[in-house]
Each structure stands twice: as C-alpha cells, then as structure tokens.
C-alpha cells in the first residue's frame, strides 16, 4: 500500500511521486490550504492539501480528524524558504496530495496520544492508544534490539536456545505459584513456572553444556512498580564452570546489551561482598551513583553515659550503631525537614533519629553529651566531618538499623539531588549467606535450596555463618539478575535438605525428578537469570516496569485492556471439576 515509510521521504525524492499510509497526528487549515502531519512508526511527514493542486484531495482533507487512518498519494517538494522544520527528520520537504483515501475513521480519543499525565488505569484500558505514542514505540524498538543483541551474543558463544515447559509441577521456589487445573486428571494441577530452574539443571545433566532462553516466568506475589505477575527472564546455565566463568559470560552479555542503548560498560564489573554491602549501604542492592556510606561507630558508644546506648553497643554480634555523614546536610535540612526524616525512619522500625550538626562553633546535638571526649574524638577522626555537615545515627538490632539507615541514605540522596540520572553503576554482590532465619528462627534458603554452599564455611551449629557460591548483579539500586553455582553432589544436597528440615520423603515428593537426574553423572554447573523487563526499565530511565511491557498488569494483577482475570462459564468449571465458593461479604 505504500512506497515509503513517512520518515523516509527526503530531499532525494523531490519531484517524485510517493504513496504513504499512517495516522493523522494533527491537521491545520491555513486559509483553505490544509496541512496534515501524517505519522507511522518511522516518524512524521507533512502533507499539503491545496485545492489548486487537487480539489478532490482537498475535499477529503476537510473531513479528516486526528487519528484517522489515511492513504496518501502525492508529489514530494521542498518547503518554501523559512518554512523548514528542523525538529522533524522530514522537515525540509512536504508531500503535495493528489489523492487522499480515508481508510478508517477514529472516534474522539479518551486522551491525547502521549499525555502521560492521564490516569494510568485509563491509559492501560486503552493500551493500544497509549502505545501509539512515539516514545512508547521507541521503547519497544530498543527492547527488540537488546533482545537480538543478547541472542546474538549467546549464539556466538556456543549457547543453545532451548524452550522449557510452561505447564509444570508446583515446587516451592519462594513465591506463590499460578495454578492451572487439569481436566484429564481431576483434582490435580499444573503450575506456571516461577523460573526454568529445575529444567535448566536437567539440561546440564543431559550434556547440553551451555543453555540460554528468553523465558516467560510467573509469580503470584504482591506487586510494585518494578514487579509484574508475568515477566521475561534471560535464563542461562553452563556446565563445568566455577563462579568466575559464569560472571565473565554474563558480563560479556551485559556489555553487548547496553551497547545497543548507547551505554559503554567497563569490564570487569566491580565486586562487593554481601557483608560489605549491608554494613556500608544497608542493602544487598546498593545504589552506588552517590557515596554516603554508613560508618560503624559501635565501639565509640560502649562507654556512653546513656545506658540504652551502652547496652546496644556491648552486643556487637546482634546490634549495630551506624553513622551517616551527609556533606552540606546541616545547611540543607531545616528543623521541619529533620522531623520529616525522623518520621520516615520510624515507618521502618526506628525509635528515633539522632544527629549531630557540625557548626562553626563546634558539634551540636543531644547525642554529644552522651559521649566521652575520647570517644567523640575517635568518631570525628573516623568521619572527618566539615562545617555544614550533619551526621545521622541509627542504633538497635542489626537487621532493623541496616534497613532503615539504608533507606535513609537513598532518601537523602534524592532530597539533595545527589544522583546522576545519566550514570550507570554496576556491581556484583558475592559471598551471600546460604540461609537466613524465617519468622520462627529456622533456616530458610536466601536464594534456593539447590545453591552450592561454600563447604569451608559449613557449620550446623551456626547456620547463619554458612556462605553460598551465589552472585547478584546490581545496577543503580536494582537487582537486575542473580545466579549461583548449583549443587551437583547428592551428599551435599542431603545436608542442605537436612538443614532445612526437609526429610527424604518430602524431598522426593517436591523435587524427585531433579534429584533422580542428579544421580546419573551430573556435571558441576551454574547459571544466572537476568530480569529483562527491569533492564529495559533502567535503560529507558522510567521507574515503572509497566512502561516497558506491551500489555502489562496493574498492581492488582489485572489486565484492564482485556478484563482479565474474569469469571468463566459454569460448564467450563464443571469440566475441570471445580466449584467456586464466593467469599462472604463483610456484613454477613
């Protein structure tokens, strides 16, 4: 239907006839001559409908409205002197319409294309209109190019693209499964995969050596701005490798992927231990685009004349006393703003927020009087504050203090504009704990139960001290991917299951097919999974993952475009041997 895309029409075509198709981006009547901006995926070109050139085309042009679909035949000519539009790729030319055909009309739009101030639910309901925004199109052009770069990288490095099942067995992997009832097997269910974890390990047992897949994954969990119930994962597994081999392969992929977005990633990417990340930044996904590290000052409060402070400081294993020096913070934060910061950290378990202001006349703040002169000098020597700085303090149990002080660090950086939005700061987080305590104080895997523990650190009496051979890749405060070396020896897997309280019968029931496979010559292997949606989100500098997914769900896991989830016919439920029990109303 066309000879060119709109943005392909240029000075080289002057004097030639072209046939174009697209949507009416805008139209203007200038004293009888009608100007139409015609848009397709490539961009915009100006169409001129002048009755002196074609009364028929001009008559049709009088009928058109925004977002009508047109087919236009016309002659390319240069625009008049002083009428060029440098903002358009086609700004030096225009097309004089000889024929205009209205292929389809459009009703009045519920919102203007590209208006991001419109309620997001309305935009998601009419997602096809939201996607007409050239900025949205550019996002998906980038996503397509990044995906191709990833595929090209793995294909050129000997990886095999293998699809794994979507209908599979429900296994405990940290989040709720989406369940699919079986019609053929009444009362039994498939699960949609949270990840291809078990299958990719089985592929290593099968001798495939290097596997990758751009896989759909599903998790029925509470949503937020950077999380969706279905998401895309770049999934990787490699045989006969150690941690460094996997990290090197992933770094190569990251370099190629980000090159598409015009970002040069320097290799190797720096590494940081989990312990250092938590102690300095209060997070295992630290944003390193700004400094503001937390400094340990617990020793300086052991001899405090405040009993609460000294008691906290005497238990160095379970408690923390952290200082956060903010250069220029005393000049920036008013008393009212400081109160707002205190209210902020209280939401995350803090009992208050102590601080010291660094004034010309010296240190000012209630906490000063609780410290000996010697301890105060030691702390000042550590922090090296300058006049105009402010030092915030967090004290209490380790987990709570690291959490709220880490959040405070990020809030301060945002408040004070310390973050360079154009910077990309990568880091690997390594040496993760193998286990963490659940709500009952029992061990639960920090990653998953097939992660290889560092057996040199194995201690059944102190499971929190056991480290794993696991690694996460962090970018600008987001975990964009993670992986580990896997357990390939039966005796190690049994030790892990025993630590988790999983007996032989339960292990067989939940993971039997994998455990059986590991008995038949399983090679050493490890892998990685990258969250593709989150990476594109960061590349395009949006803070909403829904912007980079063509047809996303809301934070209530609803598709407003299709109305999913929805009720189904009773006949379908009957076939599946399911009876729906309606929840009782609050007043029943």
């Amino acid at each position: 239907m066309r000879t060119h895309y709109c943005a392909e029409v240029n000075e080289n075509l002057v004097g030639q006839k072209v046939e174009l198709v697209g949507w009416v981006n805008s139209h203007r009547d200038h004293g009888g001559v009608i100007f139409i901006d015609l848009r397709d995926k490539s961009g915009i070109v100006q169409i001129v409908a002048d009755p002196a050139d074609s009364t028929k085309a001009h008559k049709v042009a009088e009928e058109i409205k925004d977002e009508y679909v047109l087919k236009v035949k016309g002659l390319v000519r240069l625009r008049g002197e002083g009428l060029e539009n440098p903002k358009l790729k086609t700004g030096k030319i225009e097309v004089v319409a000889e024929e205009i055909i209205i292929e389809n009309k459009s009703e009045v739009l519920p919102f203007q294309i590209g208006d991001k101030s419109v309620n997001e639910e309305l935009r998601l309901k009419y997602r096809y209109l939201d996607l007409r925004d050239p900025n949205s199109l550019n996002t998906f052009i980038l996503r397509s190019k990044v995906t191709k770069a990833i595929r090209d990288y793995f294909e050129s490095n000997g990886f095999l693209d293998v699809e794994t099942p979507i209908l599979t067995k429900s296994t405990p992997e940290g989040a709720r499964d989406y369940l699919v009832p079986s019609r053929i097997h009444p009362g039994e269910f498939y699960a949609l995969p949270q990840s291809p974890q078990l299958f990719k390990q089985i592929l290593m047992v099968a001798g495939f050596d290097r596997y990758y897949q751009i896989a759909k994954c599903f998790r029925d969990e509470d949503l937020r701005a950077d999380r969706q119930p279905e998401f895309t994962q770049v999934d990787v597994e490699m045989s006969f490798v150690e941690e460094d081999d996997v990290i090197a392969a992933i770094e190569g992929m990251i370099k190629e992927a980000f090159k598409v977005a015009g970002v040069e990633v320097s290799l190797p990417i720096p590494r940081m231990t989990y312990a250092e990340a938590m102690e300095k930044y209060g997070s295992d996904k630290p944003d390193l685009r700004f400094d503001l590290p937390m400094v340990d000052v617990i020793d300086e409060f052991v001899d405090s004349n405040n009993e609460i402070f000294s008691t906290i400081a005497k238990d160095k294993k379970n408690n923390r006393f952290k200082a956060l020096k903010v250069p220029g913070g005393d000049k920036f934060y008013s008393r009212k703003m400081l109160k707002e910061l205190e209210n902020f950290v209280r939401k995350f378990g803090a009992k208050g927020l102590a601080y010291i202001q660094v004034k010309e006349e010296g240190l000012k703040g209630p906490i000063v009087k609780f410290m000996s002169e010697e301890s105060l000098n030691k702390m000042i020597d550590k922090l090296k504050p300058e006049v105009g700085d402010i030092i915030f303090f967090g004290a209490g149990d380790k987990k709570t203090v690291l959490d709220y002080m880490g959040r405070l660090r990020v809030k301060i950086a945002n408040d004070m504009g310390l973050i360079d939005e154009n910077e990309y700061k990568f880091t690997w987080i390594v040496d993760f704990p193998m286990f963490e305590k659940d709500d009952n104080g029992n061990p639960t895997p920090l990653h998953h139960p097939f992660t290889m523990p560092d057996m040199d650190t194995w201690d059944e009496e102190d499971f929190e001290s056991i480290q794993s051979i696991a690694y996460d890749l962090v970018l600008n405060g987001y975990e964009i991917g993670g992986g580990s070396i896997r357990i390939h020896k039966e005796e190690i897997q049994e030790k892990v299951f025993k630590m988790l309280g999983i007996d032989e019968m339960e292990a067989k029931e939940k993971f039997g097919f994998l455990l059986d496979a590991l008995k038949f010559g399983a090679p050493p292997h490890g892998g990685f999974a990258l969250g593709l949606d989150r990476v594109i989100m960061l590349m395009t500098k949006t803070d909403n993952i829904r912007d980079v997914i063509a047809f996303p769900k809301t934070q209530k896991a609803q598709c407003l475009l299709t109305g999913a989830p929805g009720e189904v016919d009773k006949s379908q439920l009957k076939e599946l041997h399911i009876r729906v029990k309606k929840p009782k109303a609050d007043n029943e």
Side-chain angles (χ1 to χ4, degrees), residues 405-417:
M405 289 296 283
R407 292 175 187 272
L408 177 65
R409 171 182 177 269
V410 175
K411 178 169 174 51
I412 288 170
N414 282 306
D415 286 350
M416 297 183 67

Side-chain angles (χ1 to χ4, degrees), residues 87-106:
K87 294 180 180 179
L88 291 181
K89 187 178 178 182
T90 58
K92 292 183 178 181
I93 57 90
E94 59 193 10
V95 177
V96 181
E98 297 178 355
E99 181 182 12
I100 299 176
I101 297 173
I102 297 176
E103 288 289 345
N104 219 332
K105 296 182 179 181
S106 172

Side-chain angles (χ1 to χ4, degrees), residues 181 563-576 578 580 582:
E567 296 183 355
V568 297
D569 291 340
K570 289 183 179 179
S571 59
Q572 288 178 278
L573 293 175
K574 187 175 181 180
E575 280 187 327
L576 295 169
I578 290 176
V580 175
K582 294 282 187 182

Side-chain angles (χ1 to χ4, degrees), residues 124-137:
L124 291 180
K125 181 179 179 180
Y126 297 96
R127 183 62 168 163
Y128 41 85
L129 297 179
D130 194 33
L131 290 175
R132 284 188 193 174
D133 177 8
N135 290 325
S136 291
L137 177 61

Side-chain angles (χ1 to χ4, degrees), residues 513-567:
F513 64 100
L514 174 64
L515 299 177
D516 287 344
L518 293 177
K519 295 176 181 177
F520 292 92
H525 59 286
F528 186 83
L530 180 84
L532 182 62
D533 308 300
R534 197 171 286 179
V535 166
I536 303 298
M537 183 185 83
L538 292 169
M539 284 181 174
T540 55
K541 296 182 173 61
T542 177
D543 58 1
N544 189 338
I545 204 167
R546 292 185 288 276
D547 290 342
V548 303
I549 297 173
F551 301 105
K553 305 292 190 294
T554 67
Q555 283 194 290
K556 293 183 179 179
Q558 293 173 302
C559 175
L560 299 182
L561 175 67
T562 63
E567 296 183 355

Side-chain angles (χ1 to χ4, degrees), residues 272-289:
M272 180 185 300
T273 66
Y274 172 86
E276 181 184 358
M278 295 303 297
E279 294 292 342
K280 287 181 71 174
Y281 304 110
S283 172
D284 60 0
K285 45 183 184 294
D287 191 339
L288 301 179
R289 289 174 295 174

